Amino acid sequence: MKIWEKNIRKVVPYVPGEQPKGEKLIKLNTNENPYPPAPGVQRALQEMDCDAFRKYPDPAATILVEALAREHSVKPEQIFVGVGSDDVLAMAFLTFFNSDKPLLFPDVTYSFYKVWADLFQIPYETPKLDEEFRIRIEDYQRENGGIIFPNPNAPTGLAEPLSFVEEMLKSNPDSIVIVDEAYVDFGGESAIALLEQYENLLVVQTFSKSRSMAGIRIGYAIGSPSLIRALNDVKYSYNSYTMNLPSQILGAEALKDRAYFEASTHKIIQTRERAKLRLKELGFVFPDSSANFIFARHPQVSAEELFLALKEKQIYVRYFKQERLSEYLRITIGTDEEMEQFFAFLEAYLAQK
């Protein structure tokens, strides 16, 4: 090893879902929305003034921040935006989790949390979910350097009620508590309603799932003005121009069409509920998802076997070869047509067993 190599930071990176190419494949592996963004997004894209691209974008992303404040009935100084919720969460880790006490998050959860904790050298512990993949509140009623958990959780899809979030906050008045609500629009209960009561609460959401804009990369946090100021201080010390101009414009446009947003999320919820019935008929077992995916296993067939068989037929789902997860597949909810092809394959494959 060369001497300078000893100073390179070594981390185990996050492994994103596979992004296969092709026209005939069925992609149910990265929790993307199967429907296009609101029609106004396409119109705004066509009308965009490309001459504006020669200038730096507004570092405060004012047009988007103000639109989000209106959408959630909060003040603009309570909104922080970033390049996808991953950017927002990474900035929150860097800003808020600087204690010698351990950060707490579940053992089965979004795997990027461990990556950020390692990257920023944050001590952490991962209390185990119970046998039904539920968070045990008593595991978080102790000294800690902060708490983060998704609600609904990923990859399980389970949602906790608002009363659970409030109990977590009451038990941890001296810690920042981050609720990662990437999937909340598909059946969860947002903790935004608790912001006025708890200054230590930060709620993070994204345009990647329910807003059908994973490719444009917009995430945001809502919290007390003091938390948002702290996030902005770190952001401006790192990269002032994180949010590009098209994202600011298109994100603000997407928020205008509430009816389209509600209709598309409703379609996904309906398809998910039908998918639960079909999976049960085929012998699968799974937690009761409130997200746009189902985390399922089959008692007679290994998840890895099904994953590989599906992939051979150009049907992609997510498989995690990890402790407690290796017998499960995470299945994104696609269109009704995509789900029918998925179930047709499963029926034929399982009939041979």
Side-chain angles (χ1 to χ4, degrees):
M1 178 180 286
K2 298 178 179 66
I3 292 176
W4 53 264
E5 288 182 299
K6 296 177 181 178
N7 296 320
I8 296 175
R9 189 183 299 278
K10 305 293 194 303
V11 293
V12 178
Y14 172 76
V15 180
E18 189 174 356
Q19 294 291 345
K21 306 296 181 185
E23 294 182 2
K24 295 184 179 180
L25 58 86
I26 297 174
K27 193 169 182 296
L28 308 176
N29 66 328
T30 50
N31 298 343
E32 294 146 331
N33 195 311
Y35 303 108
V41 173
Q42 177 68 34
R43 289 194 299 271
L45 186 62
Q46 292 170 338
E47 296 167 1
M48 204 168 288
D49 178 14
C50 291
D51 183 60
F53 294 171
R54 63 187 176 82
K55 299 178 181 179
Y56 286 109
D58 174 11
T62 305
I63 185 175
L64 180 57
V65 166
E66 290 182 347
L68 284 165
R70 289 191 296 270
E71 173 72 13
H72 294 290
S73 300
V74 298
K75 299 173 183 176
E77 54 265 35
Q78 290 181 265
I79 302 285
F80 174 86
V81 299
V83 186
S85 59
D86 286 341
D87 180 46
V88 174
L89 288 165
M91 204 67 67
F93 269 59
L94 190 59
T95 304
F96 300 122
F97 301 144
N98 293 292
S99 171
D100 293 332
K101 299 171 186 175
L103 169 65
L104 303 180
F105 51 86
D107 68 324
V108 176
T109 194
Y110 187 29
S111 55
F112 228 140
Y113 297 162
K114 284 186 178 180
V115 175
W116 290 319
D118 286 336
L119 180 63
F120 300 135
Q121 299 181 345
I122 300 165
Y124 67 90
E125 293 178 10
T126 56
K128 283 196 171 185
L129 299 179
D130 68 16
E131 304 302 322
E132 297 179 345
F133 288 125
R134 291 284 183 185
I135 296 173
R136 292 181 287 216
I137 192 79
E138 59 269 24
D139 291 337
Y140 296 81
Q141 294 173 329
R142 58 188 173 93
E143 277 200 322
N144 62 76
I147 293 169
I148 182 169
F149 61 95
N151 195 32
N153 195 11
T156 67
L158 286 168
E160 300 293 350
L162 202 58
S163 57
F164 172 93
V165 180
E166 184 157 25
E167 186 176 356
M168 186 75 81
L169 288 159
K170 285 180 177 177
S171 300
N172 294 279
D174 299 323
S175 299
I176 303 292
V177 177
I178 299 178
V179 184
D180 182 355
E181 294 186 344
Y183 302 100
V184 73
D185 295 319
F186 301 106
E189 193 175 8
S190 179
I192 292 172
L194 299 174
L195 285 170
E196 286 191 16
Q197 298 168 255
Y198 300 94
E199 290 187 337
N200 59 326
L201 168 64
L202 191 76
V203 179
V204 177
Q205 294 193 7
T206 179
F207 280 55
S208 295
K209 315 301 181 186
S210 57
R211 297 283 177 184
S212 307
M213 296 177 75
I216 209 71
R217 311 306 300 131
I218 302 172
Y220 59 99
I222 310 178
S224 64
S226 60
L227 293 187
I228 300 305
R229 277 195 302 274
L231 278 168
N232 275 313
D233 285 346
V234 172
K235 169 195 166 180
Y236 290 134
S237 302
Y238 179 73
N239 181 358
S240 299
Y241 301 104
T242 55
M243 175 72 68
N244 66 64
L245 180 60
S247 293
Q248 295 181 32
I249 294 171
L250 300 180
E253 189 63 41
L255 294 169
K256 294 178 182 178
D257 198 337
R258 185 76 192 176
Y260 181 87
F261 165 73
E262 291 178 351
S264 62
T265 53
H266 182 64
K267 280 195 291 186
I268 291 168
I269 291 168
Q270 287 185 313
T271 304
R272 180 192 69 205
E273 295 307 301
R274 288 193 292 270
K276 289 177 183 178
L277 297 175
R278 295 288 293 277
L279 286 169
K280 284 179 181 176
E281 290 170 0
L282 291 169
F284 284 86
V285 293
F286 46 87
D288 189 21
S289 176
S290 295
N292 67 335
F293 58 84
I294 298 172
F295 190 57
R297 67 177 177 87
H298 197 285
Q300 275 76 51
V301 187
S302 81
E304 187 171 21
E305 177 187 335
L306 279 174
F307 167 73
L308 293 172
L310 284 160
K311 186 174 180 178
E312 189 174 326
K313 296 297 183 180
Q314 293 286 284
I315 302 172
Y316 291 81
V317 296
R318 192 77 188 267
Y319 174 62
F320 302 92
K321 201 166 188 175
Q322 302 170 22
E323 185 181 357
R324 300 191 75 186
L325 307 183
S326 61
E327 286 307 312
Y328 288 83
L329 296 175
R330 194 192 67 190
I331 305 155
T332 301
I333 302 302
T335 63
D336 287 336
E337 293 76 17
E338 289 172 330
M339 299 307 290
E340 281 303 319
Q341 292 181 62
F342 169 70
F343 285 120
F345 172 83
L346 286 180
E347 287 167 0
Y349 189 84
L350 293 172
Q352 301 172 5
K353 296 294 177 181

